[in-house]
Amino acid sequence: MNVLEATGDAAIRGLGYIGGLTIQFWSGLCASPRVLPIIGKHGRWRAAVRQMAVIGVDALPMVGIMSVCAGFILAMQTGAELRRFGALQYVMDVIAVGFTRELGPLLTAFVVGGRSGSAFSAEIGTMVVTSEIDALRTMALDPIEFVLAPKYLATMITVPCLTIMSNAFGILAGAGFMYISTKITPAMYLRYIFNSMELRDVVTGMLKSLVFAAIIVNVGCLEGFRTRGGPDAVGRSATSAVVWSTFLVILADVFFTAIFYLLHQV
Amino acid sequence: MADPMISIDSLTVQYGDHRVLDGVSLDVQPGEVMALLGGSGSGKTTMLRHIIGLERPTSGTVRIRGVDINRCSPKELKDIRCTMGVAFQECALFNSMSIEENVSLPLRELTTLADPVIEIMTYMKLVAVGLGQAAKQMPQELSGGMKKRAAVARATALDPEILVFDEPSAGLDPIVAAGLDEVILALKRAFHMTILVVTHELASAFRVADRLAMLYKGSLIAVDSKDAFQKSTHLRIRQFLDRVPDPIAESTAVRDRFLELAGMAGGRK
């Protein structure tokens, strides 16, 4: 295969992948109302709540620890530089803006992508290789509605919630640093944080977290549905889900940050 | 003769250059048990996947109760699938659900029956396959034979008109396999179901089937009654019935490969 053929082949496969993601995203969106309580189908909401517990509650300790660590690191690194200029108080601005706009959504996406994205892929991949997905189809049940939609809804709800928790943990870690280094009380720190934080920062962070959630659940499920072969293929799908979701999350982050930056300039 | 329940006409399936099924035609009559025989790689499972509408053929038609399942509307396909039960070779039970939940799933999803009625019906289906005591167990806690029977119970949950089995006896000891054959016969007697059994287990096929069809390299080489099948003089059928192995070492492909390895390429093209 020459370079031109290899490039063409990669481009076709890439487009096929994006096409698959788009179709699945739309199908998942259409099937989501059937998971909602009261108006949805019997038992679907319960399945979504179970997923929320796994995706959200079980991930909270990991998100919390990572956010506290990242908050400390950010505070110490910026503090070390800003102290030289006598501008240590700006550490609080950096933490407030850095976490709400960027670090909170990104750290949460990495944790959920690593934990749940790979789990979605492994679960659905196993269902494919053991003919469970075929069984659903022969029972006239839609795998998108039955398997994907509860995960879809659960991820779209829990990832923004986890992002809020991540923001809170990161900001509180900054409070710890500021108290140790400058004896600023937590109450004063929080007052300063709320003053320096704008609603726009929180909204853009939440929008990003929604997009990241959509990427994680779609990539995880698509990798699962595309699994072909035996148990080794399930492992490959899980790895692929983490790699692709991390890559696409970073790509989406660059894209949205650029858009928000340009909008802010206007 | 009544209209066939399953009608396959000139079914051709090709993946790239490889033709898996080559113009296969077969009718299965209402209430009939048809066993689809064939060696490994003969195209049995591919044919089954097309009959149950999991894949689209390259050409040809598959009609269930007169409806072409590849050209019908999604609503029609759903209606057809509600009248079909499929027991997969791997059982395909949902591991996150108990046996009872697996069997009740189609009833909960596709009917408007009240919960107590669903519970009674589920228990009836499980008792019919001898799994009344295993209702609360998870699939991973069951033996191979019990899993197969649970898959049959789930396939019959909606009292389908057509029941399809993919290798029901595969991996089972003769006693358990015989038990499963009895379950199939009991279902036929009790509910007058049209049953298609895809298998390569001769004893099982001759026990349960009214007619047998044999696939060889993607083509149907015989569709006949049990007696006619047993008396057949067709070379391949005799080889299959008499368990005569293929002369692998003498095949052209093997000989050519040996010549190639020995540096004498250009044996036969």
Side-chain angles (χ1 to χ4, degrees), chain B residues 29-191:
Chain B
Q29 300 302 326
E32 183 181 35
V33 180
M34 170 73 78
L36 183 61
L37 295 169
S40 302
S42 59
K44 299 190 301 290
T45 301
T46 304
M47 189 162 157
L48 176 134
R49 290 181 67 80
H50 284 80
I51 292 170
I52 59 180
L54 288 177
E55 285 175 33
R56 284 180 171 271
T58 309
S59 65
T61 56
V62 177
R63 291 178 189 279
I64 306 292
R65 294 187 304 156
V67 179
D68 184 344
I69 58 166
N70 294 302
R71 286 175 185 82
C72 62
S73 67
K75 167 84 175 64
E76 281 177 312
L77 184 62
K78 186 175 179 180
D79 289 345
I80 287 169
R81 281 180 166 162
C82 288
T83 64
M84 281 179 100
V86 183
F88 286 88
Q89 184 178 357
E90 306 89 349
C91 303
L93 296 169
F94 302 110
N95 282 320
S96 56
M97 297 178 184
S98 68
I99 296 305
E100 191 180 43
E101 287 168 335
N102 264 284
V103 176
S104 65
L105 181 71
L107 294 165
R108 288 193 194 285
E109 292 291 332
L110 300 166
T111 70
T112 52
L113 296 171
D115 280 356
V117 180
I118 290 176
E119 280 170 31
I120 293 167
M121 286 185 69
T122 303
Y123 187 66
M124 281 167 60
K125 299 295 173 189
L126 286 170
V127 168
V129 295
L131 286 179
Q133 303 298 313
K136 301 287 177 200
Q137 285 184 273
M138 300 302 281
Q140 51 270 31
E141 295 168 352
L142 302 186
S143 67
M146 289 167 89
K147 278 185 196 171
K148 293 263 184 187
R149 282 186 280 152
V152 174
R154 189 178 66 183
T156 57
L158 292 174
D159 294 330
E161 293 172 35
I162 301 167
L163 203 49
V164 180
F165 291 90
D166 186 13
E167 305 278 7
S169 316
L172 300 181
D173 69 61
I175 298 166
V176 177
L180 205 61
D181 291 346
E182 291 310 312
V183 169
I184 295 171
L185 287 172
L187 288 170
K188 186 208 169 189
R189 278 195 297 268
F191 303 105

Side-chain angles (χ1 to χ4, degrees), chain A residues 114-134:
Chain A
R115 282 184 82 257
S116 303
S118 58
F120 295 156
S121 164
E123 183 190 329
I124 297 173
T126 306
M127 289 180 81
V128 169
V129 299
T130 56
S131 301
E132 289 176 41
I133 297 293
D134 286 343

Side-chain angles (χ1 to χ4, degrees), chain A residues 46-210:
Chain A
R46 210 181 308 158
V49 171
R50 271 201 300 271
Q51 289 290 334
M52 282 181 214
V54 175
I55 301 163
V57 180
D58 293 358
L60 192 56
M62 178 75 85
V63 169
I65 292 168
M66 281 181 69
S67 302
V68 166
C69 292
F72 263 119
I73 292 166
L74 186 65
M76 286 186 288
Q77 293 285 16
T78 50
E81 291 302 310
L82 291 172
R83 190 190 292 272
R84 291 196 296 158
F85 304 103
L88 198 60
Q89 72 274 20
Y90 290 114
V91 168
M92 292 182 277
D93 294 80
V94 171
I95 288 175
V97 173
F99 257 92
T100 50
R101 278 193 203 170
E102 199 59 54
L103 277 176
L106 212 52
L107 282 175
T108 307
F110 289 157
V111 172
V112 176
R115 282 184 82 257
S116 303
S118 58
F120 295 156
S121 164
E123 183 190 329
I124 297 173
T126 306
M127 289 180 81
V128 169
V129 299
T130 56
S131 301
E132 289 176 41
I133 297 293
D134 286 343
L136 280 175
R137 290 171 65 198
T138 55
M139 282 192 275
L141 301 177
D142 180 10
I144 294 289
E145 184 188 321
F146 196 81
V147 180
L148 184 135
K151 292 178 172 47
Y152 193 88
L153 197 70
T155 312
M156 297 301 276
I157 291 172
T158 49
V159 168
C161 294
L162 279 173
T163 302
I164 292 170
M165 297 306 291
S166 170
N167 292 344
F169 280 118
I171 288 168
L172 287 177
F177 170 79
M178 291 306 285
Y179 182 73
I180 293 164
S181 59
T182 61
K183 298 293 177 215
I184 290 178
T185 62
M188 197 185 291
Y189 170 86
L190 287 177
R191 204 175 309 136
Y192 194 93
I193 285 280
F194 285 123
N195 282 338
S196 61
M197 214 159 47
E198 287 179 32
L199 183 64
R200 189 173 58 91
D201 301 329
V202 181
V203 171
T204 54
M206 286 296 108
L207 280 175
K208 275 186 185 178
S209 77
L210 273 173

